[in-house]
Amino acid sequence: MTVIAALRYRSVRPSRVRNGPPVSILKPLSGVDDGLEENLRTFFEQDYAQFEILFAVRTAQDPAIQIVERLSASYPNIAARLLVTGEPPYANAKVFSLDTMLTAARHGLIVMADSDTRVTPDMLSVFAGEFRNPHTGLATCPYRAVPGRSFWSVLEALGLNTEFIGGVLMARMLDGMKFAIGPTIAARRETLVSIGGFDAVKDFLAEDFVMGKLAAACGCGVILSSYVIEHRIGAQRMQANIRHRLRWVRSTRRSRPWGYVGQLFTHPLPLALLACVAAPAWWPVAAATALLRFVSVWATAGPVLGDPLTRRFWWMLPLQDMLSFAVWIGGFFGKTIIWRGHKYHLLRDGRFELIPSSSPGH
């Protein structure tokens, strides 16, 4: 089914429109991630007629400001502005930055892109082609994860480029796009107004998922864009990587609880290997499962994402699958997460609250 879902996605080929509607790109920043300057440079180099880039930082001391100023000076023909937002009044600082930039943005087509994304010069022209359809209100981008120099980040990237994207494609095929996924989202301004603006998602950890869910619920068409971005996930060590994964799965469990339970079926290889340990005579089942797993890997990481990492480290996939299965089980437990050095409490509906560092027991 993953192979079929991948083929259906690949069959969509929208045209590129270089002279489409003007675009406002919103870039929330916080500190200097690995490769930040090159990531941001790719947005300055868009081959598109009219666009602006807005950057937002929390304080005037943020080191990312120097990079933004250097790039703005290098590309004087690109309209770029930097906003200092101050401390956010609610838990999701990223949403506060996006809301501040949206108020200042001049154009009607909005592209929200995280600091760890890298794109090619035709990104905006692909979006413009997709938004020629008047029923398209929001487009969410699949992404090809690129790891840093860390064994754990390589494992995570393999999972994102095979297991995660496979689940997204399956959801698209079976139920349509009723959600959005993170690093880069494009939307009409009127779509954001229809869902209640960023105020409607400010209390959620997975604000991207909720944004797509609300857009679909109000009748604004949500699509999985044909444009694949690069998502630079950095080089986390084991402890930080596990915390990051747990934050992600705990958020997913609260955003889509029954879908999270259904992810059991996205872990066939660990289940088959466990069955083999319990009953060695079942080894043909494990062999057949491994074969099907690698066929689905080829369909997603190859034709869909064009991922060289999976071609190089395909032999590490069983280890990644076992780790992912363990983290999935861990996602059923715990109500707290660590995000950018702060501790938060996750509520049942996917909202989250900051836990003050002075609270008793924390």
Side-chain angles (χ1 to χ4, degrees), residues 153-224:
S153 68
V154 170
L155 284 182
E156 182 180 2
L158 288 172
L160 290 170
N161 295 346
T162 58
E163 176 190 330
F164 174 74
I165 185 61
V168 171
L169 294 173
M170 283 285 291
R172 174 183 179 271
M173 180 176 72
L174 296 178
D175 199 30
M177 291 301 296
K178 297 179 180 178
F179 61 94
I181 55 176
T184 298
I185 296 172
R188 300 183 194 273
R189 186 185 290 269
E190 51 264 36
T191 297
L192 298 177
V193 171
S194 296
I195 68 173
F198 286 114
D199 191 63
V201 300
K202 65 183 176 63
D203 294 320
F204 291 89
L205 177 61
E207 83 288 335
D208 49 353
F209 178 92
V210 178
M211 197 183 303
K213 180 180 178 181
L214 293 175
C218 73
C220 302
V222 179
I223 67 167
L224 184 63

Side-chain angles (χ1 to χ4, degrees), residues 5-260:
L7 292 175
R8 289 191 178 185
Y9 169 76
R10 286 283 296 169
S11 67
V12 178
R13 286 289 180 274
S15 59
R16 289 168 170 78
V17 178
R18 186 181 176 278
N19 295 303
V23 177
S24 292
I25 302 174
L26 313 185
K27 297 286 291 186
L29 304 176
S30 179
V32 178
D33 302 322
D34 290 343
L36 178 63
E37 184 163 352
E38 286 308 309
N39 294 345
L40 300 184
R41 185 185 301 278
T42 62
F43 288 84
F44 279 89
E45 295 181 342
Q46 287 300 298
D47 183 18
Y48 195 72
Q50 187 177 357
F51 67 97
E52 65 173 353
I53 311 176
L54 288 85
F55 301 94
V57 294
R58 190 179 302 188
T59 70
Q61 290 73 44
D62 195 305
I65 292 177
Q66 297 180 7
I67 293 176
V68 171
E69 291 177 343
R70 187 160 57 243
L71 287 170
S72 298
S74 299
Y75 297 88
N77 295 327
I78 302 301
R81 285 179 285 164
L82 175 68
L83 306 177
V84 179
T85 66
E87 292 301 316
Y90 40 78
N92 199 321
K94 173 186 170 182
V95 171
F96 182 59
S97 293
L98 290 171
D99 197 14
T100 303
M101 288 184 286
L102 181 64
T103 301
R106 299 188 180 103
H107 305 313
L109 184 55
I110 308 297
V111 174
M112 297 155 275
D114 289 354
S115 61
D116 54 8
T117 58
R118 192 172 295 189
V119 297
T120 54
D122 63 338
M123 178 194 69
L124 292 183
S125 64
V126 173
F127 284 152
E130 292 173 334
F131 278 88
R132 290 177 70 181
N133 184 339
H135 300 294
T136 300
L138 184 147
T140 183
C141 284
Y143 54 86
R144 178 174 58 253
V146 179
R149 296 182 179 180
S150 158
F151 171 78
W152 300 99
S153 68
V154 170
L155 284 182
E156 182 180 2
L158 288 172
L160 290 170
N161 295 346
T162 58
E163 176 190 330
F164 174 74
I165 185 61
V168 171
L169 294 173
M170 283 285 291
R172 174 183 179 271
M173 180 176 72
L174 296 178
D175 199 30
M177 291 301 296
K178 297 179 180 178
F179 61 94
I181 55 176
T184 298
I185 296 172
R188 300 183 194 273
R189 186 185 290 269
E190 51 264 36
T191 297
L192 298 177
V193 171
S194 296
I195 68 173
F198 286 114
D199 191 63
V201 300
K202 65 183 176 63
D203 294 320
F204 291 89
L205 177 61
E207 83 288 335
D208 49 353
F209 178 92
V210 178
M211 197 183 303
K213 180 180 178 181
L214 293 175
C218 73
C220 302
V222 179
I223 67 167
L224 184 63
S225 174
S226 63
Y227 187 81
V228 178
I229 65 165
E230 273 193 8
H231 177 35
R232 303 260 163 170
I233 64 175
Q236 295 175 323
R237 295 183 179 181
M238 181 181 73
Q239 188 175 6
N241 185 261
I242 296 299
R243 281 202 306 263
H244 166 73
R245 286 175 179 246
L246 283 172
R247 184 183 81 228
W248 184 22
V249 297
R250 285 170 179 168
S251 171
T252 302
R253 178 166 66 90
R254 283 159 176 79
S255 299
R256 199 176 185 184
W258 285 111
Y260 188 78

